[in-house]
Amino acid sequence: MVDWIVNGVKAKKVAYVQTQLTTARGAADAVKKALAGTGVELKQVTVELAQPDYASILSRLKTEFPNADVAYLDISETATG
């Protein structure tokens, strides 16, 4: 994913939405580490699972990080599918 962000899209700003799960935090840390030194600005937002609508989160990102080149939503939950 990081290779695609840096070399494919040539993004300079990335918004990354993650869950509070331990595995998600590990993935988010790995993305942060992989982007370190690339010149890509990273904004990470943590959300709770099983929300009926993520529109407010996307609105928040639009307000706080309006010029993001990539929005990556690393959100999945097998319980609610």
Side-chain angles (χ1 to χ4, degrees):
M1 180 188 75
V2 170
D3 181 61
W4 173 76
I5 288 170
V6 174
N7 299 312
V9 178
K10 299 187 182 349
K12 296 297 177 193
K13 295 183 178 188
V14 174
Y16 185 93
V17 180
Q18 67 196 30
T19 65
Q20 295 178 328
L21 297 174
T22 302
T23 54
R25 287 193 309 261
D29 289 345
V31 168
K32 185 176 182 177
K33 183 177 178 181
L35 286 174
T38 64
V40 175
E41 184 180 351
L42 177 65
K43 170 75 173 180
Q44 291 179 307
V45 175
T46 302
V47 298
E48 295 205 21
L49 290 174
Q51 295 187 33
D53 186 359
Y54 288 93
S56 63
I57 294 160
L58 295 176
S59 293
R60 175 180 160 196
L61 281 174
K62 184 178 177 184
T63 300
E64 293 179 10
F65 205 57
N67 297 323
D69 300 310
V70 172
Y72 184 79
L73 282 68
D74 190 1
I75 300 171
S76 65
E77 180 185 21
T78 56
T80 60

